[in-house]
Amino acid sequence: MSKKGLTIASLAALLAMSACANVSRETTGSISKPSQTSTYGAPSKPVSQMSSSDLRGALAAYGQRYEANPKDKTVGLSYAAALQMAGRNEQSLAVMRQVAIAHPKDRDVLSAYGKALAAAGDLTKALETVRRAQTPDYPDWRLFSAEGAILDQLGRQDDARVLYRKALDLQPNEPAVLSNLGMSYLLANDLPSAERYLKQAIGQPGADSRVRQNLALVVGLQGRFEEAEKIASAELSPSEAQANVTFLRQMLSQQNTWSKLEKEGKAG
């Protein structure tokens, strides 16, 4: 493999590990506008669309509700997701373990429990949990996608993509699955394929800014830095755009990736 290939492969591995802290592996974190809160005190914005300040508020609100009723499925799932977004993986896993005890046959709970196990690094148990939640007679596309994400982290990209395509058969054009598929190709150092699927994902309703950040990263890794920064900054306020560009540069600065690729791009 070329030096450039090694650099990209190393960054892809880093991205996979950093993405474990989030709700799903296809994402890297998002900067969004401040959210409103519901009448019950819980944030009305999905966790995946929260800014850092939103996330702090969500952790406080969900934490209080979880403490009051740790068996509440909706609160437990939301609290665990917020904890993962904040990088508090061990605490997220502890929350999901309690929710799974209260709801041992619930597929949403088992799927989230599997993701929490993966985020905490227990990939073998995560795989077992997600597979146990799946039923052949009534398969769930979310479970196929979650299983694929775990297999990707285990380095089994071909097996993962089979599952992503099964998920897409059940839920065509689902942006989360398309994004997972794109990131799978990034892990295999196939940047053109990664870009193709991420562009398809970002064009679907429901795609959030985390998917856009991944697309910006893949474009940047191919040496198209100005285009990458425009993608990272799109549809955001100036402060949010700057935060996303800063994040992009931080990712590309690992092992001096940005400067190495910039030199290689000029040489080629």
Side-chain angles (χ1 to χ4, degrees):
M1 183 183 292
S2 67
K3 289 183 179 179
K4 181 175 180 179
L6 283 170
T7 301
I8 292 174
S10 299
L11 181 61
L14 174 70
L15 180 61
M17 289 187 288
S18 68
C20 290
N22 302 312
V23 178
S24 57
R25 190 193 55 77
E26 80 275 11
T27 59
T28 55
S30 61
I31 309 294
S32 305
K33 295 179 180 179
S35 64
Q36 302 291 324
T37 56
S38 71
T39 55
Y40 299 101
S44 60
K45 179 185 292 184
V47 171
S48 62
Q49 297 177 15
M50 290 181 182
S51 68
S52 56
S53 59
D54 292 334
L55 189 57
R56 288 192 295 271
L59 286 170
Y62 286 133
Q64 290 176 357
R65 296 181 71 193
Y66 174 78
E67 186 176 4
N69 185 7
K71 294 184 179 181
D72 187 300
K73 169 186 167 180
T74 301
V75 172
L77 290 173
S78 298
Y79 188 36
L83 288 166
Q84 282 188 41
M85 285 290 290
R88 293 159 61 177
N89 296 328
E90 293 297 332
Q91 187 178 355
S92 174
L93 177 57
V95 169
M96 281 312 310
R97 189 175 287 119
Q98 293 304 312
V99 178
I101 290 171
H103 305 273
K105 296 183 179 180
D106 189 292
R107 296 207 299 180
D108 290 339
V109 170
L110 289 173
S111 176
Y113 184 32
K115 290 177 182 178
L117 285 163
D122 193 344
L123 297 179
T124 300
K125 190 171 181 180
L127 196 59
E128 293 173 357
T129 301
V130 170
R131 285 175 171 172
R132 179 160 53 91
Q134 189 66 276
T135 54
D137 59 328
Y138 189 61
D140 188 326
W141 68 266
R142 295 176 183 84
L143 292 172
F144 280 141
S145 186
E147 184 180 352
I150 295 166
L151 290 174
D152 259 333
Q153 292 176 58
L154 289 168
R156 296 168 56 183
Q157 272 74 55
D158 290 341
D159 294 336
R161 289 171 205 157
V162 170
L163 291 166
Y164 295 144
R165 291 188 171 96
K166 285 184 177 180
L168 288 170
D169 285 341
L170 295 173
Q171 189 77 6
N173 298 319
E174 168 56 44
V177 181
L178 289 169
S179 185
N180 268 354
L181 190 53
M183 298 307 288
S184 181
Y185 280 104
L186 171 61
L187 289 169
N189 194 25
D190 183 348
L191 298 181
S193 294
E195 181 180 351
R196 182 171 70 253
Y197 285 110
L198 286 165
K199 280 184 174 178
Q200 190 176 346
I202 206 69
Q204 305 303 319
D208 62 35
S209 65
R210 299 175 304 158
V211 181
R212 185 178 298 281
Q213 286 182 13
N214 286 340
L215 175 59
L217 177 62
V218 169
V219 170
L221 284 169
Q222 295 175 84
R224 289 147 47 203
F225 307 113
E226 290 185 6
E227 181 182 349
E229 292 194 352
K230 287 180 180 178
I231 292 170
S233 304
E235 301 174 2
L236 297 171
S237 70
S239 61
E240 292 167 340
Q242 183 58 49
N244 273 15
V245 169
T246 298
F247 177 86
L248 175 65
R249 286 187 172 275
Q250 287 174 344
M251 290 301 298
L252 286 167
S253 70
Q254 298 298 325
Q255 299 182 4
N256 296 316
T257 302
W258 184 282
S259 59
K260 285 182 180 179
L261 291 179
E262 188 170 24
K263 289 178 182 178
E264 290 170 3
K266 289 179 180 177

